[in-house]
Amino acid sequence: MRFVEANGARIPAIGLGTWELSGRDCARVVEQALKLGYRHIDTAQVYENEREVGDGVRASGVRRDEIFLTTKIWTTHFAPNDLERSAKERLVRMRMSEVDLLLLHWPNPHVPLEETLGALAHAKQAGLTRHIGVSNFTVALIEEAVALCPEPLVCNQIEFHPYLDQTKVKEACARHGIALVAYSPIAKGRIKTDGTLIRIGRAHHKTPAQICLRWLVQQNVSAIPRTSKIERLSENIDIFDFRLSDKEMHEISQLHSEAGRLTDYAFAPKWD
Ligand SMILES: NC(=O)c1ccc[n+]([C@@H]2O[C@H](COP(=O)([O-])OP(=O)(O)OC[C@H]3O[C@@H](n4cnc5c(N)ncnc54)[C@H](OP(=O)(O)O)[C@@H]3O)[C@@H](O)[C@H]2O)c1
């Protein structure tokens, strides 16, 4: 496993996303992923599966200190007291003493960022999480957050795949030593019929999903593909035995100009 280093954090380059995984299936997929070598699991308050994620972690038998566990606080809990309460509740749900990374799930323009970041930093100082970060932050918000946050931010989790150009956010994060964690890294499965990824995959004996994930990891980005299928767990982590050429990397980076923005999130807050 490779790691993405960021402001003191070592984030495994491939993790398991758990959005829409629920109940015993979620616990089973998390357990299997860890048994197959995953060491990074992503959940969130709004996924309503933190309990099952915790169960899967314990069932795997993998030592807790070998696993990088991320959860996110929803925007309705960004007032300082709410945030701290919610952070503690995350741990109760997972039956964990701390998480590795606690994120603000989306920006919330209705609560001053300084107050929310102060509370997030306090959660870290209180030992509820080893690291803190944000998600869905733009370049302007990253700059503001870095200036306001009393503790280093280690990650901005954003939608990132070949159909979406994230160069500007990536550069802003790099300037501040913040890692990018790519969500929807295989564009919710849409990449599997992509002619360019299929062709490049044939040359490396890899699937389009593996080419796509390799493209991210080779840019020093961590990716958190989600699958409900055990066989795809192995596929999505089997990307460390080959390398894309500069020409292939460039060609994949150009796919966004043809495709435009493809995804749309049920959870994305719609602010007035
Ligand atoms: N911070 C945020 O706001 C935010 C937003 C969205 C997502 N996320 C996080 O990022 C994670 C990943 O994003 P995502 O779930 O939206 O999308 P994704 O990982 O890009 O795609 C998941 C979809 O791709 C399919 N799939 C998985 N592996 C495949 C493979 N090797 N070949 C073909 N299809 C494959 C899955 O189907 P099967 O189950 O049938 O395999 C599923 O339908 C989430 O689970 C969540 O943890 C965060």
PDB file of all heavy atoms in Angstrom, residues 16-19 42 47 72 105-106 135-136 157 183-189 191-192 209 224-229 232 235-236 265, ligand 1:
ATOM      1  N   LEU A  16     -11.780   2.408   1.192  1.00  0.00           N
ATOM      2  CA  LEU A  16     -13.111   1.916   0.809  1.00  0.00           C
ATOM      3  C   LEU A  16     -14.154   2.982   1.132  1.00  0.00           C
ATOM      4  O   LEU A  16     -14.280   3.398   2.287  1.00  0.00           O
ATOM      5  CB  LEU A  16     -13.438   0.634   1.589  1.00  0.00           C
ATOM      6  CG  LEU A  16     -14.864   0.107   1.387  1.00  0.00           C
ATOM      7  CD1 LEU A  16     -15.034  -0.499  -0.007  1.00  0.00           C
ATOM      8  CD2 LEU A  16     -15.223  -0.938   2.458  1.00  0.00           C
ATOM      9  N   GLY A  17     -14.899   3.418   0.120  1.00  0.00           N
ATOM     10  CA  GLY A  17     -16.045   4.301   0.353  1.00  0.00           C
ATOM     11  C   GLY A  17     -17.232   3.464   0.808  1.00  0.00           C
ATOM     12  O   GLY A  17     -17.367   2.307   0.408  1.00  0.00           O
ATOM     13  N   THR A  18     -18.083   4.037   1.648  1.00  0.00           N
ATOM     14  CA  THR A  18     -19.203   3.233   2.180  1.00  0.00           C
ATOM     15  C   THR A  18     -20.575   3.886   1.989  1.00  0.00           C
ATOM     16  O   THR A  18     -21.557   3.416   2.561  1.00  0.00           O
ATOM     17  CB  THR A  18     -19.013   2.924   3.689  1.00  0.00           C
ATOM     18  OG1 THR A  18     -19.091   4.152   4.425  1.00  0.00           O
ATOM     19  CG2 THR A  18     -17.703   2.213   3.958  1.00  0.00           C
ATOM     20  N   TRP A  19     -20.633   4.952   1.213  1.00  0.00           N
ATOM     21  CA  TRP A  19     -21.938   5.575   0.958  1.00  0.00           C
ATOM     22  C   TRP A  19     -22.881   4.538   0.349  1.00  0.00           C
ATOM     23  O   TRP A  19     -22.474   3.790  -0.557  1.00  0.00           O
ATOM     24  CB  TRP A  19     -21.760   6.761   0.002  1.00  0.00           C
ATOM     25  CG  TRP A  19     -23.033   7.480  -0.311  1.00  0.00           C
ATOM     26  CD1 TRP A  19     -24.101   7.653   0.515  1.00  0.00           C
ATOM     27  CD2 TRP A  19     -23.369   8.111  -1.535  1.00  0.00           C
ATOM     28  NE1 TRP A  19     -25.076   8.369  -0.124  1.00  0.00           N
ATOM     29  CE2 TRP A  19     -24.655   8.671  -1.388  1.00  0.00           C
ATOM     30  CE3 TRP A  19     -22.699   8.280  -2.751  1.00  0.00           C
ATOM     31  CZ2 TRP A  19     -25.291   9.373  -2.408  1.00  0.00           C
ATOM     32  CZ3 TRP A  19     -23.331   8.991  -3.754  1.00  0.00           C
ATOM     33  CH2 TRP A  19     -24.615   9.526  -3.582  1.00  0.00           C
ATOM     34  N   ASP A  42     -13.868   4.963   4.685  1.00  0.00           N
ATOM     35  CA  ASP A  42     -14.513   6.282   4.711  1.00  0.00           C
ATOM     36  C   ASP A  42     -16.001   6.141   5.009  1.00  0.00           C
ATOM     37  O   ASP A  42     -16.714   5.417   4.315  1.00  0.00           O
ATOM     38  CB  ASP A  42     -14.354   6.952   3.339  1.00  0.00           C
ATOM     39  CG  ASP A  42     -14.998   8.324   3.302  1.00  0.00           C
ATOM     40  OD1 ASP A  42     -14.373   9.278   3.781  1.00  0.00           O
ATOM     41  OD2 ASP A  42     -16.141   8.449   2.810  1.00  0.00           O
ATOM     42  N   TYR A  47     -24.347   8.908   6.241  1.00  0.00           N
ATOM     43  CA  TYR A  47     -24.477   7.593   5.595  1.00  0.00           C
ATOM     44  C   TYR A  47     -25.253   6.613   6.490  1.00  0.00           C
ATOM     45  O   TYR A  47     -25.684   5.557   6.051  1.00  0.00           O
ATOM     46  CB  TYR A  47     -23.111   6.979   5.262  1.00  0.00           C
ATOM     47  CG  TYR A  47     -22.229   7.797   4.348  1.00  0.00           C
ATOM     48  CD1 TYR A  47     -20.900   7.465   4.142  1.00  0.00           C
ATOM     49  CD2 TYR A  47     -22.719   8.920   3.680  1.00  0.00           C
ATOM     50  CE1 TYR A  47     -20.078   8.210   3.308  1.00  0.00           C
ATOM     51  CE2 TYR A  47     -21.904   9.674   2.847  1.00  0.00           C
ATOM     52  CZ  TYR A  47     -20.582   9.316   2.671  1.00  0.00           C
ATOM     53  OH  TYR A  47     -19.766  10.054   1.854  1.00  0.00           O
ATOM     54  N   LYS A  72     -17.347  12.016   8.813  1.00  0.00           N
ATOM     55  CA  LYS A  72     -17.614  13.428   8.481  1.00  0.00           C
ATOM     56  C   LYS A  72     -18.827  13.904   9.252  1.00  0.00           C
ATOM     57  O   LYS A  72     -19.784  13.156   9.441  1.00  0.00           O
ATOM     58  CB  LYS A  72     -17.899  13.592   6.980  1.00  0.00           C
ATOM     59  CG  LYS A  72     -17.011  12.765   6.080  1.00  0.00           C
ATOM     60  CD  LYS A  72     -17.322  12.952   4.618  1.00  0.00           C
ATOM     61  CE  LYS A  72     -16.662  11.874   3.787  1.00  0.00           C
ATOM     62  NZ  LYS A  72     -17.421  10.620   3.722  1.00  0.00           N
ATOM     63  N   HIS A 105     -18.336  17.938   6.256  1.00  0.00           N
ATOM     64  CA  HIS A 105     -18.774  17.226   5.044  1.00  0.00           C
ATOM     65  C   HIS A 105     -18.958  18.150   3.834  1.00  0.00           C
ATOM     66  O   HIS A 105     -18.612  17.792   2.710  1.00  0.00           O
ATOM     67  CB  HIS A 105     -20.077  16.471   5.336  1.00  0.00           C
ATOM     68  CG  HIS A 105     -20.335  15.339   4.415  1.00  0.00           C
ATOM     69  ND1 HIS A 105     -20.927  14.165   4.805  1.00  0.00           N
ATOM     70  CD2 HIS A 105     -20.092  15.169   3.094  1.00  0.00           C
ATOM     71  CE1 HIS A 105     -21.033  13.350   3.785  1.00  0.00           C
ATOM     72  NE2 HIS A 105     -20.537  13.933   2.727  1.00  0.00           N
ATOM     73  N   TRP A 106     -19.544  19.313   4.057  1.00  0.00           N
ATOM     74  CA  TRP A 106     -19.706  20.324   3.002  1.00  0.00           C
ATOM     75  C   TRP A 106     -19.539  21.685   3.672  1.00  0.00           C
ATOM     76  O   TRP A 106     -19.777  21.810   4.880  1.00  0.00           O
ATOM     77  CB  TRP A 106     -21.120  20.282   2.394  1.00  0.00           C
ATOM     78  CG  TRP A 106     -21.360  19.171   1.433  1.00  0.00           C
ATOM     79  CD1 TRP A 106     -21.693  17.886   1.734  1.00  0.00           C
ATOM     80  CD2 TRP A 106     -21.301  19.233   0.003  1.00  0.00           C
ATOM     81  NE1 TRP A 106     -21.848  17.148   0.586  1.00  0.00           N
ATOM     82  CE2 TRP A 106     -21.610  17.957  -0.495  1.00  0.00           C
ATOM     83  CE3 TRP A 106     -21.012  20.260  -0.920  1.00  0.00           C
ATOM     84  CZ2 TRP A 106     -21.648  17.657  -1.854  1.00  0.00           C
ATOM     85  CZ3 TRP A 106     -21.050  19.966  -2.277  1.00  0.00           C
ATOM     86  CH2 TRP A 106     -21.359  18.672  -2.733  1.00  0.00           C
ATOM     87  N   SER A 135     -14.220  18.862   3.303  1.00  0.00           N
ATOM     88  CA  SER A 135     -14.686  18.156   2.106  1.00  0.00           C
ATOM     89  C   SER A 135     -15.515  19.126   1.281  1.00  0.00           C
ATOM     90  O   SER A 135     -16.246  19.956   1.836  1.00  0.00           O
ATOM     91  CB  SER A 135     -15.523  16.946   2.531  1.00  0.00           C
ATOM     92  OG  SER A 135     -16.018  16.260   1.403  1.00  0.00           O
ATOM     93  N   ASN A 136     -15.391  19.011  -0.031  1.00  0.00           N
ATOM     94  CA  ASN A 136     -16.136  19.864  -0.970  1.00  0.00           C
ATOM     95  C   ASN A 136     -15.791  21.346  -0.813  1.00  0.00           C
ATOM     96  O   ASN A 136     -16.644  22.207  -1.004  1.00  0.00           O
ATOM     97  CB  ASN A 136     -17.648  19.646  -0.803  1.00  0.00           C
ATOM     98  CG  ASN A 136     -18.058  18.230  -1.145  1.00  0.00           C
ATOM     99  OD1 ASN A 136     -17.883  17.801  -2.283  1.00  0.00           O
ATOM    100  ND2 ASN A 136     -18.574  17.490  -0.162  1.00  0.00           N
ATOM    101  N   GLN A 157     -11.596  16.397   0.857  1.00  0.00           N
ATOM    102  CA  GLN A 157     -12.177  15.266   0.116  1.00  0.00           C
ATOM    103  C   GLN A 157     -13.130  15.840  -0.931  1.00  0.00           C
ATOM    104  O   GLN A 157     -14.097  16.513  -0.586  1.00  0.00           O
ATOM    105  CB  GLN A 157     -12.922  14.335   1.091  1.00  0.00           C
ATOM    106  CG  GLN A 157     -13.406  13.078   0.385  1.00  0.00           C
ATOM    107  CD  GLN A 157     -14.179  12.113   1.274  1.00  0.00           C
ATOM    108  OE1 GLN A 157     -15.342  11.828   1.041  1.00  0.00           O
ATOM    109  NE2 GLN A 157     -13.533  11.600   2.314  1.00  0.00           N
ATOM    110  N   TYR A 183     -13.332  11.427  -4.011  1.00  0.00           N
ATOM    111  CA  TYR A 183     -14.564  10.622  -3.902  1.00  0.00           C
ATOM    112  C   TYR A 183     -15.184  10.449  -5.279  1.00  0.00           C
ATOM    113  O   TYR A 183     -14.833  11.166  -6.215  1.00  0.00           O
ATOM    114  CB  TYR A 183     -15.521  11.182  -2.862  1.00  0.00           C
ATOM    115  CG  TYR A 183     -16.350  12.414  -3.154  1.00  0.00           C
ATOM    116  CD1 TYR A 183     -17.340  12.442  -4.122  1.00  0.00           C
ATOM    117  CD2 TYR A 183     -16.185  13.558  -2.382  1.00  0.00           C
ATOM    118  CE1 TYR A 183     -18.131  13.570  -4.336  1.00  0.00           C
ATOM    119  CE2 TYR A 183     -16.960  14.694  -2.581  1.00  0.00           C
ATOM    120  CZ  TYR A 183     -17.937  14.691  -3.561  1.00  0.00           C
ATOM    121  OH  TYR A 183     -18.712  15.796  -3.760  1.00  0.00           O
ATOM    122  N   SER A 184     -16.064   9.461  -5.392  1.00  0.00           N
ATOM    123  CA  SER A 184     -16.577   9.029  -6.713  1.00  0.00           C
ATOM    124  C   SER A 184     -15.412   8.864  -7.694  1.00  0.00           C
ATOM    125  O   SER A 184     -15.467   9.337  -8.837  1.00  0.00           O
ATOM    126  CB  SER A 184     -17.600  10.014  -7.272  1.00  0.00           C
ATOM    127  OG  SER A 184     -18.636  10.222  -6.357  1.00  0.00           O
ATOM    128  N   PRO A 185     -14.340   8.181  -7.275  1.00  0.00           N
ATOM    129  CA  PRO A 185     -13.123   8.160  -8.090  1.00  0.00           C
ATOM    130  C   PRO A 185     -13.289   7.388  -9.394  1.00  0.00           C
ATOM    131  O   PRO A 185     -12.484   7.566 -10.311  1.00  0.00           O
ATOM    132  CB  PRO A 185     -12.105   7.458  -7.173  1.00  0.00           C
ATOM    133  CG  PRO A 185     -12.940   6.593  -6.289  1.00  0.00           C
ATOM    134  CD  PRO A 185     -14.198   7.376  -6.045  1.00  0.00           C
ATOM    135  N   ILE A 186     -14.320   6.533  -9.466  1.00  0.00           N
ATOM    136  CA  ILE A 186     -14.566   5.843 -10.747  1.00  0.00           C
ATOM    137  C   ILE A 186     -15.887   6.348 -11.350  1.00  0.00           C
ATOM    138  O   ILE A 186     -16.554   5.630 -12.095  1.00  0.00           O
ATOM    139  CB  ILE A 186     -14.549   4.306 -10.584  1.00  0.00           C
ATOM    140  CG1 ILE A 186     -15.441   3.859  -9.429  1.00  0.00           C
ATOM    141  CG2 ILE A 186     -13.139   3.806 -10.362  1.00  0.00           C
ATOM    142  CD1 ILE A 186     -15.580   2.356  -9.295  1.00  0.00           C
ATOM    143  N   ALA A 187     -16.199   7.632 -11.029  1.00  0.00           N
ATOM    144  CA  ALA A 187     -17.393   8.296 -11.582  1.00  0.00           C
ATOM    145  C   ALA A 187     -18.627   7.402 -11.436  1.00  0.00           C
ATOM    146  O   ALA A 187     -19.408   7.251 -12.374  1.00  0.00           O
ATOM    147  CB  ALA A 187     -17.152   8.713 -13.031  1.00  0.00           C
ATOM    148  N   LYS A 188     -18.751   6.846 -10.229  1.00  0.00           N
ATOM    149  CA  LYS A 188     -19.898   5.981  -9.890  1.00  0.00           C
ATOM    150  C   LYS A 188     -20.064   4.811 -10.863  1.00  0.00           C
ATOM    151  O   LYS A 188     -21.185   4.418 -11.171  1.00  0.00           O
ATOM    152  CB  LYS A 188     -21.169   6.807  -9.838  1.00  0.00           C
ATOM    153  CG  LYS A 188     -21.197   7.823  -8.703  1.00  0.00           C
ATOM    154  CD  LYS A 188     -22.480   8.583  -8.758  1.00  0.00           C
ATOM    155  CE  LYS A 188     -22.865   9.150  -7.427  1.00  0.00           C
ATOM    156  NZ  LYS A 188     -24.186   9.750  -7.459  1.00  0.00           N
ATOM    157  N   GLY A 189     -18.964   4.320 -11.369  1.00  0.00           N
ATOM    158  CA  GLY A 189     -18.995   3.142 -12.247  1.00  0.00           C
ATOM    159  C   GLY A 189     -19.080   3.492 -13.725  1.00  0.00           C
ATOM    160  O   GLY A 189     -18.945   2.615 -14.579  1.00  0.00           O
ATOM    161  N   ILE A 191     -17.049   4.828 -15.664  1.00  0.00           N
ATOM    162  CA  ILE A 191     -15.806   4.653 -16.427  1.00  0.00           C
ATOM    163  C   ILE A 191     -15.710   3.286 -17.108  1.00  0.00           C
ATOM    164  O   ILE A 191     -14.877   3.092 -17.972  1.00  0.00           O
ATOM    165  CB  ILE A 191     -14.564   4.844 -15.528  1.00  0.00           C
ATOM    166  CG1 ILE A 191     -14.697   4.085 -14.198  1.00  0.00           C
ATOM    167  CG2 ILE A 191     -14.329   6.309 -15.219  1.00  0.00           C
ATOM    168  CD1 ILE A 191     -14.543   2.655 -14.237  1.00  0.00           C
ATOM    169  N   LYS A 192     -16.557   2.339 -16.697  1.00  0.00           N
ATOM    170  CA  LYS A 192     -16.322   0.966 -17.179  1.00  0.00           C
ATOM    171  C   LYS A 192     -16.542   0.804 -18.685  1.00  0.00           C
ATOM    172  O   LYS A 192     -16.049  -0.152 -19.266  1.00  0.00           O
ATOM    173  CB  LYS A 192     -17.112  -0.060 -16.374  1.00  0.00           C
ATOM    174  CG  LYS A 192     -18.577  -0.006 -16.486  1.00  0.00           C
ATOM    175  CD  LYS A 192     -19.208  -1.063 -15.593  1.00  0.00           C
ATOM    176  CE  LYS A 192     -20.700  -0.891 -15.610  1.00  0.00           C
ATOM    177  NZ  LYS A 192     -21.326  -1.046 -14.324  1.00  0.00           N
ATOM    178  N   ALA A 209     -11.602   0.523 -14.337  1.00  0.00           N
ATOM    179  CA  ALA A 209     -11.599   1.031 -12.957  1.00  0.00           C
ATOM    180  C   ALA A 209     -10.169   1.081 -12.410  1.00  0.00           C
ATOM    181  O   ALA A 209      -9.778   2.057 -11.747  1.00  0.00           O
ATOM    182  CB  ALA A 209     -12.477   0.139 -12.065  1.00  0.00           C
ATOM    183  N   ILE A 224     -11.123   6.644  -2.840  1.00  0.00           N
ATOM    184  CA  ILE A 224     -11.960   5.807  -1.962  1.00  0.00           C
ATOM    185  C   ILE A 224     -13.135   5.192  -2.736  1.00  0.00           C
ATOM    186  O   ILE A 224     -14.291   5.492  -2.471  1.00  0.00           O
ATOM    187  CB  ILE A 224     -12.460   6.614  -0.738  1.00  0.00           C
ATOM    188  CG1 ILE A 224     -13.058   7.981  -1.151  1.00  0.00           C
ATOM    189  CG2 ILE A 224     -11.327   6.820   0.260  1.00  0.00           C
ATOM    190  CD1 ILE A 224     -13.788   8.697   0.002  1.00  0.00           C
ATOM    191  N   PRO A 225     -12.825   4.291  -3.701  1.00  0.00           N
ATOM    192  CA  PRO A 225     -13.915   3.664  -4.451  1.00  0.00           C
ATOM    193  C   PRO A 225     -14.812   2.842  -3.533  1.00  0.00           C
ATOM    194  O   PRO A 225     -14.341   2.252  -2.566  1.00  0.00           O
ATOM    195  CB  PRO A 225     -13.175   2.747  -5.432  1.00  0.00           C
ATOM    196  CG  PRO A 225     -11.869   2.446  -4.760  1.00  0.00           C
ATOM    197  CD  PRO A 225     -11.516   3.701  -4.017  1.00  0.00           C
ATOM    198  N   ARG A 226     -16.080   2.826  -3.878  1.00  0.00           N
ATOM    199  CA  ARG A 226     -17.044   2.027  -3.108  1.00  0.00           C
ATOM    200  C   ARG A 226     -17.510   0.852  -3.965  1.00  0.00           C
ATOM    201  O   ARG A 226     -17.743   1.010  -5.162  1.00  0.00           O
ATOM    202  CB  ARG A 226     -18.252   2.901  -2.774  1.00  0.00           C
ATOM    203  CG  ARG A 226     -19.339   2.191  -2.035  1.00  0.00           C
ATOM    204  CD  ARG A 226     -20.739   2.403  -2.562  1.00  0.00           C
ATOM    205  NE  ARG A 226     -20.949   3.512  -3.461  1.00  0.00           N
ATOM    206  CZ  ARG A 226     -22.026   3.605  -4.219  1.00  0.00           C
ATOM    207  NH1 ARG A 226     -22.956   2.679  -4.193  1.00  0.00           N
ATOM    208  NH2 ARG A 226     -22.190   4.630  -5.035  1.00  0.00           N
ATOM    209  N   THR A 227     -17.622  -0.301  -3.359  1.00  0.00           N
ATOM    210  CA  THR A 227     -18.289  -1.411  -4.022  1.00  0.00           C
ATOM    211  C   THR A 227     -19.028  -2.238  -2.994  1.00  0.00           C
ATOM    212  O   THR A 227     -18.620  -2.323  -1.837  1.00  0.00           O
ATOM    213  CB  THR A 227     -17.317  -2.305  -4.822  1.00  0.00           C
ATOM    214  OG1 THR A 227     -18.085  -3.325  -5.455  1.00  0.00           O
ATOM    215  CG2 THR A 227     -16.232  -2.944  -3.955  1.00  0.00           C
ATOM    216  N   SER A 228     -20.115  -2.847  -3.432  1.00  0.00           N
ATOM    217  CA  SER A 228     -20.849  -3.770  -2.569  1.00  0.00           C
ATOM    218  C   SER A 228     -20.458  -5.207  -2.909  1.00  0.00           C
ATOM    219  O   SER A 228     -20.970  -6.145  -2.319  1.00  0.00           O
ATOM    220  CB  SER A 228     -22.349  -3.568  -2.795  1.00  0.00           C
ATOM    221  OG  SER A 228     -22.627  -3.698  -4.184  1.00  0.00           O
ATOM    222  N   LYS A 229     -19.555  -5.362  -3.886  1.00  0.00           N
ATOM    223  CA  LYS A 229     -19.209  -6.701  -4.394  1.00  0.00           C
ATOM    224  C   LYS A 229     -17.797  -7.092  -3.973  1.00  0.00           C
ATOM    225  O   LYS A 229     -16.832  -6.389  -4.275  1.00  0.00           O
ATOM    226  CB  LYS A 229     -19.312  -6.713  -5.911  1.00  0.00           C
ATOM    227  CG  LYS A 229     -20.703  -6.376  -6.409  1.00  0.00           C
ATOM    228  CD  LYS A 229     -20.884  -6.718  -7.868  1.00  0.00           C
ATOM    229  CE  LYS A 229     -22.340  -6.599  -8.262  1.00  0.00           C
ATOM    230  NZ  LYS A 229     -22.857  -5.228  -8.194  1.00  0.00           N
ATOM    231  N   ARG A 232     -15.006  -7.120  -6.539  1.00  0.00           N
ATOM    232  CA  ARG A 232     -14.514  -5.813  -6.966  1.00  0.00           C
ATOM    233  C   ARG A 232     -13.608  -5.168  -5.915  1.00  0.00           C
ATOM    234  O   ARG A 232     -12.815  -4.280  -6.239  1.00  0.00           O
ATOM    235  CB  ARG A 232     -15.682  -4.889  -7.285  1.00  0.00           C
ATOM    236  CG  ARG A 232     -16.289  -5.195  -8.635  1.00  0.00           C
ATOM    237  CD  ARG A 232     -17.387  -4.235  -8.969  1.00  0.00           C
ATOM    238  NE  ARG A 232     -17.805  -4.369 -10.339  1.00  0.00           N
ATOM    239  CZ  ARG A 232     -18.948  -3.873 -10.804  1.00  0.00           C
ATOM    240  NH1 ARG A 232     -19.757  -3.202  -9.997  1.00  0.00           N
ATOM    241  NH2 ARG A 232     -19.274  -4.023 -12.071  1.00  0.00           N
ATOM    242  N   GLU A 235     -10.268  -6.131  -7.073  1.00  0.00           N
ATOM    243  CA  GLU A 235      -9.948  -5.414  -8.322  1.00  0.00           C
ATOM    244  C   GLU A 235      -9.512  -3.976  -8.015  1.00  0.00           C
ATOM    245  O   GLU A 235      -8.499  -3.500  -8.541  1.00  0.00           O
ATOM    246  CB  GLU A 235     -11.194  -5.412  -9.214  1.00  0.00           C
ATOM    247  CG  GLU A 235     -11.022  -4.646 -10.514  1.00  0.00           C
ATOM    248  CD  GLU A 235     -12.324  -4.583 -11.328  1.00  0.00           C
ATOM    249  OE1 GLU A 235     -13.207  -5.444 -11.149  1.00  0.00           O
ATOM    250  OE2 GLU A 235     -12.444  -3.651 -12.141  1.00  0.00           O
ATOM    251  N   ASN A 236     -10.250  -3.321  -7.139  1.00  0.00           N
ATOM    252  CA  ASN A 236     -10.007  -1.889  -6.927  1.00  0.00           C
ATOM    253  C   ASN A 236      -8.731  -1.587  -6.141  1.00  0.00           C
ATOM    254  O   ASN A 236      -8.276  -0.442  -6.124  1.00  0.00           O
ATOM    255  CB  ASN A 236     -11.221  -1.249  -6.239  1.00  0.00           C
ATOM    256  CG  ASN A 236     -12.437  -1.221  -7.148  1.00  0.00           C
ATOM    257  OD1 ASN A 236     -12.327  -1.456  -8.354  1.00  0.00           O
ATOM    258  ND2 ASN A 236     -13.609  -0.947  -6.582  1.00  0.00           N
ATOM    259  N   TYR A 265     -25.207  14.877  -6.329  1.00  0.00           N
ATOM    260  CA  TYR A 265     -25.306  14.207  -5.051  1.00  0.00           C
ATOM    261  C   TYR A 265     -26.583  14.470  -4.299  1.00  0.00           C
ATOM    262  O   TYR A 265     -26.969  15.611  -4.088  1.00  0.00           O
ATOM    263  CB  TYR A 265     -24.080  14.531  -4.182  1.00  0.00           C
ATOM    264  CG  TYR A 265     -22.965  13.728  -4.717  1.00  0.00           C
ATOM    265  CD1 TYR A 265     -22.066  14.274  -5.593  1.00  0.00           C
ATOM    266  CD2 TYR A 265     -22.936  12.369  -4.484  1.00  0.00           C
ATOM    267  CE1 TYR A 265     -21.122  13.493  -6.194  1.00  0.00           C
ATOM    268  CE2 TYR A 265     -22.001  11.578  -5.082  1.00  0.00           C
ATOM    269  CZ  TYR A 265     -21.100  12.142  -5.933  1.00  0.00           C
ATOM    270  OH  TYR A 265     -20.188  11.360  -6.531  1.00  0.00           O
TER     271      TYR A 265
HETATM  272  N1  LIG B   1     -17.469  13.893   0.731  1.00  0.00           N
HETATM  273  C1  LIG B   1     -18.526  13.771  -0.023  1.00  0.00           C
HETATM  274  O1  LIG B   1     -19.342  14.697  -0.176  1.00  0.00           O
HETATM  275  C2  LIG B   1     -18.767  12.471  -0.738  1.00  0.00           C
HETATM  276  C3  LIG B   1     -19.723  12.418  -1.779  1.00  0.00           C
HETATM  277  C4  LIG B   1     -19.885  11.187  -2.439  1.00  0.00           C
HETATM  278  C5  LIG B   1     -19.127  10.088  -2.058  1.00  0.00           C
HETATM  279  N2  LIG B   1     -18.232  10.168  -1.025  1.00  0.00           N
HETATM  280  C6  LIG B   1     -17.427   8.991  -0.581  1.00  0.00           C
HETATM  281  O2  LIG B   1     -16.725   8.458  -1.707  1.00  0.00           O
HETATM  282  C7  LIG B   1     -17.077   7.093  -1.868  1.00  0.00           C
HETATM  283  C8  LIG B   1     -17.002   6.695  -3.328  1.00  0.00           C
HETATM  284  O3  LIG B   1     -17.852   7.480  -4.139  1.00  0.00           O
HETATM  285  P1  LIG B   1     -19.213   6.918  -4.783  1.00  0.00           P
HETATM  286  O4  LIG B   1     -19.718   5.863  -3.894  1.00  0.00           O
HETATM  287  O5  LIG B   1     -20.072   8.098  -5.068  1.00  0.00           O
HETATM  288  O6  LIG B   1     -18.799   6.389  -6.210  1.00  0.00           O
HETATM  289  P2  LIG B   1     -17.652   5.439  -6.868  1.00  0.00           P
HETATM  290  O7  LIG B   1     -16.807   4.809  -5.849  1.00  0.00           O
HETATM  291  O8  LIG B   1     -17.012   6.268  -7.955  1.00  0.00           O
HETATM  292  O9  LIG B   1     -18.545   4.368  -7.615  1.00  0.00           O
HETATM  293  C9  LIG B   1     -19.306   3.410  -6.947  1.00  0.00           C
HETATM  294  C10 LIG B   1     -20.089   2.636  -8.006  1.00  0.00           C
HETATM  295  O10 LIG B   1     -19.188   1.998  -8.899  1.00  0.00           O
HETATM  296  C11 LIG B   1     -19.430   0.590  -8.925  1.00  0.00           C
HETATM  297  N3  LIG B   1     -18.111  -0.072  -8.950  1.00  0.00           N
HETATM  298  C12 LIG B   1     -17.255  -0.271  -7.908  1.00  0.00           C
HETATM  299  N4  LIG B   1     -16.127  -0.865  -8.339  1.00  0.00           N
HETATM  300  C13 LIG B   1     -16.265  -1.058  -9.670  1.00  0.00           C
HETATM  301  C14 LIG B   1     -15.434  -1.631 -10.648  1.00  0.00           C
HETATM  302  N5  LIG B   1     -14.234  -2.123 -10.351  1.00  0.00           N
HETATM  303  N6  LIG B   1     -15.902  -1.678 -11.944  1.00  0.00           N
HETATM  304  C15 LIG B   1     -17.115  -1.177 -12.252  1.00  0.00           C
HETATM  305  N7  LIG B   1     -17.951  -0.601 -11.359  1.00  0.00           N
HETATM  306  C16 LIG B   1     -17.536  -0.548 -10.066  1.00  0.00           C
HETATM  307  C17 LIG B   1     -20.212   0.278  -7.671  1.00  0.00           C
HETATM  308  O11 LIG B   1     -21.137  -0.756  -7.929  1.00  0.00           O
HETATM  309  P3  LIG B   1     -21.083  -2.169  -7.129  1.00  0.00           P
HETATM  310  O12 LIG B   1     -21.444  -1.878  -5.708  1.00  0.00           O
HETATM  311  O13 LIG B   1     -22.121  -2.956  -7.879  1.00  0.00           O
HETATM  312  O14 LIG B   1     -19.691  -2.688  -7.298  1.00  0.00           O
HETATM  313  C18 LIG B   1     -20.978   1.579  -7.426  1.00  0.00           C
HETATM  314  O15 LIG B   1     -22.190   1.587  -8.176  1.00  0.00           O
HETATM  315  C19 LIG B   1     -18.478   7.013  -1.252  1.00  0.00           C
HETATM  316  O16 LIG B   1     -18.871   5.690  -1.032  1.00  0.00           O
HETATM  317  C20 LIG B   1     -18.281   7.851  -0.024  1.00  0.00           C
HETATM  318  O17 LIG B   1     -17.571   7.118   0.974  1.00  0.00           O
HETATM  319  C21 LIG B   1     -18.032  11.355  -0.376  1.00  0.00           C
END
